[in-house]
Amino acid sequence: IMNALGLTQIGLIILCTTTISSLQCNHLHLQQRKLIENSLQLLDKMGEKFPQQCLKEKMSFRFPEQVLKPRQKETVKVVIEEIFQHIFYIFSKNLTLAAWDGTALEQFQNGLYQQIEQLEACVIKKQIHYFWSKEVNRLKLKKYFQKIDCFLKDKKHNLCSWEISRAEMRRCLQLIDKVIRKL
Amino acid sequence: LSYRFGNTETNETEWKELPGCQNVTRMECDFSSAITEYYDTHHVRIRAERREEVSPWSSIFEIIPYFIAQIGPPGIELQSTNGAIKIKVSPPEANQVRKMWISYLDFKYNLVIWENSSNAEFRSQSIFPTDIIDDLAPDTTYCLKVQATLPLDMKEGLFSPIRCVKTTRKAVSDLFCATNVRVLALNMKFHLLWNNRYKQHVSYNVQYLIGYLKKLPDDYSAKWLNVPGCENITDTQCSFSSIITTVSGFYYVRVQAMSEYNTSCLSNEVKVDPLRTNEIGPPGVKVDISDVLLHIQISPPGGSESEVMREHYDLSYRVLYWKNSSNNEEEIKMKEIKQTIGTVSDLTPSTLYCVKVQAFSEFYNKSSRYSEEKCVRTPGDEILPLVILATFVIALIAVLLVATPLVFALYQAYAKMKYVFFPSCQPPLNIEGFGGQLFSSPYMSTTEEPIANFSIIETVITEEVNQIDFKDYKHSKQSSRDSGNYSNDDDTSGSKMSEEMLEKEIV
């Protein structure tokens, strides 16, 4: 009986702490929606329309859409954080040949960085990353971004490779936007 | 005794021999060269050989390189300047072409630092790739080590080798540095304030840095920019709202103090997360009463520029209302609403109700100060008839006050009009008899005027007296024949006649 009581107490404590800490994380998607809208606008703003001459170089990268439909709904937050981290990395260097609007690019990166920090605080608090860290789908996501990274390196970060990557990242953010709207 | 290691990747079914791991006599082997795809599943098997005898293959050992990889130690560069330690961390695998951790920006670095003395306390803090450790004692030797971590992978890397460095003394010229740098932000208006012990001949530059630059491995010290409008100022405060162009993203601000001798000193940095650093101001409140409902109208904080706040904070309002009676034991009731109009029902009549409102953002866990209290009294049952009566009486008096002079004025006007157009004149007293008939019928025609027909008998009479009489009589007759008018001649002749008559009598 003593054991049962002890367990109940622990259970209650855990329930209480998770409820309190989840208050902010629960509304996170509302804030994320505005931030993603902003990021999409900036992504469009930083460059011109997709150049026709780059169409022939277009690659199919095949984003693994199943990562955004996890069995546990909470996991989608950590997936989004990881995707943002990859996008942040891709847009962090070798941008000279892209010739994009520097201010828009800065704001885009700054916005992504803030979202990453915000998501991470929430994810670690709620221990969502525990299962995701060993997920097989996570590897598929990493392979996708590795492909894009290799593509850019192979093309020596020229204009067309950047424009193709930018269009691909735009698709990515739009998919995330769709998922967040459903939350 | 020797061993073989076999290997397959996820899509391949053929076993390959691991190079460098054939015919080994040790009980271990390094097969890194065979691993090229870090995200793929690899299977390893091993069997023993002795001369011609071969053991069966062992059970398959499955590995995914990425999941079992451990993070190596980062590189450190140290510089001791001005009582602080400047540290530059290079990520693990810094110069490798093929990396396990491709996105090295994901690393979070953990610094452990302690004084190089006995019984020193270890201090652990999170640092950026390029950072300054400044809360240190001068002229002291400190030892430190850094590890790289990946929070999402739940991995903590190996520590770098321990490095020790001695801090210098703080420069004397730093007396004129800006201290106690702090941000005051209300309704998205951002102000930076600071103090300075040295008051004279110091000018300031407020500088800002876009937050994400600290995450990059490049040196960002050249990327600090001056805040427009806060350059070369002597005031110890400045507004930097102009650089907060979006709410998404952090900023760092600092103050550069410049002395008259052209030396400069940089203050501490303050991190600004626009929506979290900002304080929401109190909303405006107006109350109105109808006999059953209390209407509360809220004007959002920030006034006309409150668009940004409303858009990002998703503001809600907490309304407190209570009965303000002489005994302060009335409970304060609370209502949370999302709109800017609220109503309170269930009111007791003839009571003074007071209201105050607070704006809050649930997500950002921020609430404003309360607005000022606004009070209004509910109408009461007993008072109402009195009010009605009083209103009626006042209205009546007002009407009378206005109506009486008006009626009087109208009457006066009517009387004047009547006098001018329809006069009522009194005839003189001596012809009252004639007047009688005339009065009765003022509109009679002139033909009906009674004219006494006097026939004139002209007879010559020798007697003077008679002649005189006749003359006079003629005169009067003649004159009377003229008209009904009574002329002066008549009167005089009339009076003459009476005199003559008197004379006759005398004679």
Side-chain angles (χ1 to χ4, degrees):
Chain A
I1 299 170
M2 288 306 288
N3 280 344
L5 274 174
L7 275 172
T8 328
Q9 274 182 327
I10 293 168
L12 275 171
I13 291 167
I14 293 173
L15 184 68
C16 284
T17 43
T18 46
T19 322
I20 292 163
S21 62
S22 70
L23 268 178
Q24 202 211 61
C25 293
N26 280 343
H27 296 284
L28 193 65
H29 59 281
L30 290 166
Q31 304 308 312
Q32 291 292 316
R33 269 180 67 179
K34 290 195 194 95
L35 297 176
I36 288 176
E37 267 174 43
N38 197 36
S39 296
L40 277 165
Q41 279 174 11
L42 287 165
L43 199 59
D44 286 337
K45 198 173 150 194
M46 64 175 82
E48 310 284 322
K49 262 177 71 169
F50 190 84
Q52 293 289 353
Q53 70 265 28
C54 298
L55 274 170
K56 58 183 189 302
E57 292 187 41
K58 242 186 168 222
M59 279 260 298
S60 152
F61 294 106
R62 275 176 290 147
F63 178 78
E65 293 191 29
Q66 67 270 32
V67 297
L68 289 170
K69 297 165 199 157
R71 267 167 286 142
Q72 279 180 308
K73 266 197 165 178
E74 283 294 289
T75 316
V76 85
K77 284 199 186 85
V78 67
V79 175
I80 293 171
E81 188 200 331
E82 182 140 1
I83 295 173
F84 284 166
Q85 277 182 339
H86 284 287
I87 300 177
F88 181 73
Y89 165 73
I90 288 173
F91 283 97
S92 67
K93 56 188 169 57
N94 294 327
L95 289 150
T96 19
L97 293 175
W100 287 332
D101 176 6
T103 315
L105 181 63
E106 270 181 352
Q107 286 183 352
F108 174 75
Q109 289 286 77
N110 210 23
L112 270 182
Y113 175 55
Q114 191 201 42
Q115 290 178 72
I116 292 167
E117 292 288 296
Q118 216 163 265
L119 278 163
E120 195 168 276
C122 193
V123 154
I124 289 176
K125 219 190 257 186
K126 291 182 90 179
Q127 295 280 300
I128 304 169
H129 58 319
Y130 184 74
F131 293 107
W132 172 248
S133 61
K134 297 278 189 229
E135 261 275 332
V136 169
N137 276 331
R138 186 162 179 237
L139 298 170
K140 294 205 174 90
L141 188 67
K142 284 201 171 294
K143 272 198 188 171
Y144 166 79
F145 281 106
Q146 190 188 37
K147 241 200 231 172
I148 297 175
D149 195 36
C150 285
F151 171 70
L152 280 165
K153 280 205 181 89
D154 287 343
K155 300 282 180 186
K156 296 196 173 34
H157 295 91
N158 67 10
L159 175 72
C160 277
S161 63
W162 268 124
E163 287 293 341
I164 292 166
S165 304
R166 179 166 77 114
E168 187 67 31
M169 292 301 98
R170 189 172 204 290
R171 251 197 76 232
C172 215
L173 285 174
Q174 276 175 325
L175 281 167
I176 296 176
D177 187 36
K178 241 200 265 177
V179 166
I180 285 187
R181 277 175 199 276
K182 285 194 202 143
L183 281 178
Chain B
L1 212 60
S2 64
Y3 301 85
R4 273 175 207 270
F5 289 81
N7 172 1
T8 56
E9 290 182 33
T10 34
N11 291 333
E12 293 168 31
T13 49
E14 274 186 33
W15 285 95
K16 284 191 288 205
E17 281 182 3
L18 284 171
C21 293
Q22 305 305 306
N23 292 330
V24 290
T25 46
R26 309 180 305 278
M27 300 266 250
E28 60 180 79
C29 191
D30 182 340
F31 59 99
S32 319
S33 51
I35 308 286
T36 50
E37 297 299 322
Y38 298 139
Y39 306 128
D40 288 340
T41 313
H42 293 69
H43 297 122
V44 186
R45 64 184 184 181
I46 180 174
R47 72 176 174 192
E49 282 180 5
R50 185 168 53 182
R51 285 188 282 257
E52 281 79 36
E53 286 173 60
V54 171
S55 76
W57 284 107
S58 66
S59 54
I60 297 169
F61 186 64
E62 187 179 272
I63 57 158
I64 298 173
Y66 182 80
F67 284 153
I68 61 168
Q70 198 179 25
I71 304 171
I76 312 181
E77 270 176 48
L78 294 176
Q79 196 188 357
S80 178
T81 55
N82 208 16
I85 300 173
K86 257 196 199 164
I87 184 165
K88 184 160 160 54
V89 183
S90 40
E93 308 180 292
N95 295 319
Q96 268 173 247
V97 176
R98 208 175 48 198
K99 298 184 192 182
M100 176 69 70
W101 323 105
I102 301 174
S103 176
Y104 56 84
L105 295 179
D106 299 347
F107 284 125
K108 278 211 146 96
Y109 299 103
N110 186 28
L111 169 85
V112 178
I113 188 167
W114 63 95
E115 250 183 84
N116 192 15
S117 57
S118 53
N119 297 334
E121 267 181 35
F122 282 70
R123 200 179 69 193
S124 177
Q125 68 185 75
S126 177
I127 58 169
F128 284 108
T130 312
D131 219 328
I132 298 177
I133 311 148
D134 52 11
D135 42 351
L136 303 169
D139 257 348
T140 327
T141 308
Y142 285 92
C143 290
L144 51 90
K145 59 182 183 178
V146 181
Q147 74 177 157
T149 68
L150 284 176
L152 285 194
D153 292 76
M154 302 181 75
K155 286 194 173 151
E156 284 184 358
L158 298 170
F159 271 103
S160 67
I162 298 173
R163 294 274 302 272
C164 294
V165 70
K166 188 170 178 184
T167 52
T168 61
R169 228 173 310 158
K170 271 200 156 205
V172 182
S173 62
D174 285 359
L175 279 178
F176 66 96
C177 285
T179 55
N180 193 19
V181 183
R182 58 208 183 276
V183 176
L184 224 67
L186 185 69
N187 290 340
M188 300 309 279
K189 294 266 188 283
F190 294 87
H191 288 273
L192 193 68
L193 295 103
W194 60 94
N195 300 107
N196 200 332
R197 279 177 297 172
Y198 205 83
K199 300 285 179 186
Q200 309 145 332
H201 307 299
V202 184
S203 65
Y204 306 100
N205 264 346
V206 178
Q207 298 179 324
Y208 75 102
L209 180 76
I210 300 180
Y212 83 99
L213 292 171
K214 284 208 173 194
K215 194 78 176 147
L216 303 181
D218 320 315
D219 189 13
Y220 55 81
S221 49
K223 305 236 173 99
W224 284 89
L225 300 166
N226 284 341
V227 174
C230 294
E231 295 168 82
N232 232 336
I233 56 171
T234 47
D235 224 354
T236 56
Q237 54 146 349
C238 199
S239 161
F240 61 93
S241 310
S242 58
I243 58 124
I244 311 282
T245 45
T246 58
V247 296
S248 39
F250 309 127
Y251 298 89
Y252 292 92
V253 278
R254 70 181 184 190
V255 182
Q256 181 190 43
M258 286 171 305
S259 74
E260 50 188 337
Y261 308 107
N262 262 344
T263 52
S264 77
C265 165
L266 294 169
S267 72
N268 292 337
E269 300 164 2
V270 178
K271 180 175 174 181
V272 178
D273 182 354
L275 291 174
R276 284 183 210 277
T277 310
N278 178 56
E279 276 305 314
I280 307 172
V285 65
K286 275 194 207 148
V287 283
D288 207 0
I289 194 123
S290 68
D291 56 0
V292 269
L293 289 175
L294 179 68
H295 299 279
I296 304 162
Q297 195 172 11
I298 304 169
S299 42
S304 55
E305 290 145 15
S306 66
E307 275 301 324
V308 172
M309 298 231 294
R310 260 183 287 148
E311 208 182 304
H312 288 97
Y313 279 123
D314 198 28
L315 288 174
S316 300
Y317 300 97
R318 201 170 285 130
V319 178
L320 293 188
Y321 60 99
W322 64 95
K323 295 182 205 172
N324 195 1
S325 53
S326 49
N327 62 326
N328 288 327
E329 286 176 22
E330 291 292 347
E331 60 163 305
I332 299 177
K333 295 206 192 118
M334 199 257 286
K335 203 169 157 151
E336 281 185 14
I337 52 173
K338 266 212 113 344
Q339 311 86 355
T340 51
I341 302 173
T343 50
V344 174
S345 52
D346 283 347
L347 304 174
T348 51
S350 57
T351 329
L352 188 68
Y353 278 92
C354 289
V355 169
K356 64 180 181 185
V357 185
Q358 173 187 59
F360 71 96
S361 167
E362 199 178 328
F363 178 76
Y364 288 97
N365 198 17
K366 278 189 171 296
S367 44
S368 72
R369 280 187 302 118
Y370 275 100
S371 69
E372 52 182 12
E373 289 178 12
K374 286 276 165 78
C375 298
V376 72
R377 186 174 282 280
T378 50
D381 295 326
E382 319 97 52
I383 294 175
L384 190 64
L386 270 174
V387 167
I388 294 172
L389 188 67
T391 318
F392 175 73
V393 168
I394 292 167
L396 190 67
I397 293 170
V399 165
L400 283 172
L401 278 172
V402 169
T404 313
L406 192 68
V407 167
F408 182 69
L410 278 172
Y411 175 74
Q412 285 290 321
Y414 165 73
K416 288 268 185 292
M417 296 255 293
K418 192 162 180 290
Y419 177 76
V420 169
F421 292 108
F422 315 106
S424 58
C425 294
Q426 291 286 339
L429 283 168
N430 54 352
I431 45 170
E432 228 171 43
F434 288 104
Q437 277 188 337
L438 279 170
F439 263 107
S440 56
S441 47
Y443 292 103
M444 268 174 68
S445 60
T446 46
T447 50
E448 289 178 343
E449 251 179 39
I451 298 169
N453 279 321
F454 298 106
S455 47
I456 297 167
I457 307 161
E458 284 196 39
T459 53
V460 179
I461 301 164
T462 49
E463 286 183 354
E464 288 177 25
V465 173
N466 290 341
Q467 274 185 337
I468 295 166
D469 284 329
F470 279 132
K471 270 188 201 162
D472 286 324
Y473 202 56
K474 256 198 236 169
H475 277 299
S476 54
K477 276 191 194 154
Q478 276 176 335
S479 57
S480 59
R481 196 211 270 164
D482 287 341
S483 65
N485 288 337
Y486 310 106
S487 64
N488 282 339
D489 285 2
D490 236 6
D491 288 342
T492 49
S493 57
S495 58
K496 259 196 195 165
M497 250 174 76
S498 56
E499 279 177 11
E500 305 273 336
M501 291 279 205
L502 278 168
E503 282 177 25
K504 257 169 117 178
E505 284 172 13
I506 296 165
V507 171

